[in-house]
Amino acid sequence: MTVFAYRNGILHAEDAALTAIADAVGTPFYCYSTAALRANWAAFAGAFAGQDVGVCYAVKANSNLAVIRTFAEQGAGADVVSEGEMRRALAAGVPPERIVFSGVGKTRDEMRAALSAGIFQLNVESIPELEALSEVASGMGVTADIAFRVNPDVDAKTHAKIATGKKENKFGIDYDHARDVYARAAALPGVRPVAIAVHIGSQLTDLAPFRAAFLRVADLLHVLRTDGHDIRRLDLGGGLGIRYKDEALPSPADYAAMVTSITGNLGCHVTLEPGRTLVGNAGVLVARTIYVKQGLHRQFLIVDAAMNDLIRPALYDSYHGIRPVVEAASDATTVPMDVVGPVCESGDTFALQRPLPPMAAGDLVAFDSAGAYGAVMSSGYNTRPLIPEVMVNGADFAVIRPRPRIEDILAAERMPGWL
Ligand SMILES: *Cc1c(COP(=O)(O)O)cnc(C)c1O
């Protein structure tokens, strides 16, 4: 990722030195690059140029309003999984007719909000959800365009916690029930089944599972059309992976060619919902070394970021590159270090025995590829304030979510009358 590169020995985000941002906002913080966001968008959306394809950015990967707006400016729609995300997308300037609402447990209130906003499509994942939506929409006197998310029973070959397309996963309707479910929907008021949706998981590094799932969707499309349903759209989800370490990845062009080879002659509008691939490598997490601790057999680099700020290593055993912000001398020897945060959990470990140049208290480190599923999954565990998010654009940078004050965190809570 060339936008996060050393210049004169200092790691920069575009033309902004991470040391300068750290001085201005304190540590830890997330830092996103506008140029990287735009380049990722251009690579992905550009691969589908001229086709009847809508790209709906999966907001859950990074839902900061400034990130959503950066994509909205380029013509992005949004894939949302809650009313909160839908309102973020609308507030960031995504037109409602480019918003898809996904998720296995939409409440009636969320359905009402989506129908009032007039979004493009709701992706329904069960019969009870279908019945609820039918009631809500008919009660409002509207008809909702819907897809069913089908579960194609395909192994995405990714981490178990982010695989969603096997029949034992909670997502979607079983492929073998799809005909019955579409028939049921066609008989209900307030809903119009116009699409088939699929999303088999995240951080896929191989096209084969996508291809298998999309072929099943194409087969189903023919069956449903034969049954008399007017299916005009396919929603093929997200899931394309990024390079965290040394993964070999299909390019957006390879991915697009695979999609087009399957959908090109189906006469359908295609929606895609990329998240990670648009934001993952466009962000870093910057932390400061608090202590270097020499254990009996290992050295610990204790930094001021923790699992509550970036949970991916603890949750998914994921790998993030770790670089000193001030470049080490080219002849510096490396030492294996356990990079850990201050939270009272052994799981608060970013890396084990990672070779790093000699580090000292006060030194800054950057965790690479932290733009997706980083800030959005953070929590206030250990009463650690959510860390700021910063967006860089050339030499400019702006705080796009400030660090809350501890006073405000405490002030948000209430004592019951008896205390
Ligand atoms: C999470 C999710 C996405 C985005 O997944 P990425 O791996 O970030 O591309 C797309 N669609 C649905 C339905 C999702 O749940």
Side-chain angles (χ1 to χ4, degrees), residues 9-202:
I10 307 284
L11 194 58
H12 280 59
E14 304 186 30
D15 301 328
L18 293 177
T19 45
I21 301 177
D23 288 344
V25 307
T27 55
F29 63 93
Y30 278 102
C31 178
Y32 312 130
S33 154
T34 303
L37 295 172
R38 289 191 183 141
N40 291 345
W41 171 265
F44 190 92
F48 292 94
Q51 301 187 41
D52 187 12
V53 168
V55 181
C56 292
Y57 166 56
V59 165
K60 77 171 187 285
N62 185 323
S63 60
N64 189 287
L65 291 170
V67 172
I68 304 174
R69 178 162 297 178
T70 300
F71 291 132
E73 279 185 349
Q74 311 291 310
D79 170 52
V80 303
V81 295
S82 69
E83 179 181 352
E85 282 193 355
M86 183 187 76
R87 289 173 57 174
R88 281 183 179 277
L90 292 169
V94 179
E97 63 275 12
R98 290 197 196 140
I99 297 180
V100 172
F101 202 133
S102 304
V104 70
K106 292 177 230 43
T107 66
R108 286 165 191 257
D109 284 343
E110 288 179 316
M111 292 171 179
R112 222 166 272 122
L115 295 171
S116 303
I119 67 165
F120 179 66
Q121 177 174 300
L122 286 98
N123 293 355
V124 176
E125 301 210 20
S126 67
I127 296 262
E129 189 192 4
L130 169 70
E131 291 170 348
L133 180 58
S134 169
E135 278 173 30
V136 171
S138 341
M140 293 171 70
V142 299
T143 301
D145 283 338
I146 64 166
F148 285 103
R149 175 170 175 181
V150 297
N151 185 323
D153 194 23
V154 166
D155 184 350
K157 303 234 162 45
T158 184
H159 191 278
K161 289 201 170 91
I162 48 175
T164 59
K166 288 289 282 173
K167 61 177 182 299
E168 53 272 27
N169 298 133
K170 70 181 177 183
F171 299 98
I173 55 168
D174 289 319
Y175 189 83
D176 296 336
H177 294 161
R179 285 180 81 180
D180 293 345
V181 173
Y182 277 82
R184 175 104 182 88
L188 286 177
V191 288
R192 185 180 337 158
V194 297
I196 309 172
V198 72
H199 172 76
I200 58 171
S202 197

Side-chain angles (χ1 to χ4, degrees), residues 222-291:
H222 295 304
V223 172
L224 293 176
R225 281 180 169 166
T226 309
D227 286 350
H229 301 286
D230 184 16
I231 309 291
R232 292 163 265 166
R233 307 176 185 162
L234 300 177
D235 178 340
L236 301 181
L240 191 58
I242 63 166
R243 179 166 299 136
Y244 285 101
K245 192 177 184 187
D246 50 11
E247 298 89 341
L249 286 160
S251 68
D254 297 337
Y255 174 80
M258 179 273 299
V259 169
T260 310
S261 73
I262 297 171
T263 63
N265 298 318
L266 297 178
C268 280
H269 171 81
V270 173
T271 301
L272 298 165
E273 303 169 345
R276 188 189 310 270
T277 190
L278 296 182
V279 290
N281 280 328
V284 295
L285 166 63
V286 178
R288 198 179 285 283
T289 304
I290 310 177
Y291 300 113

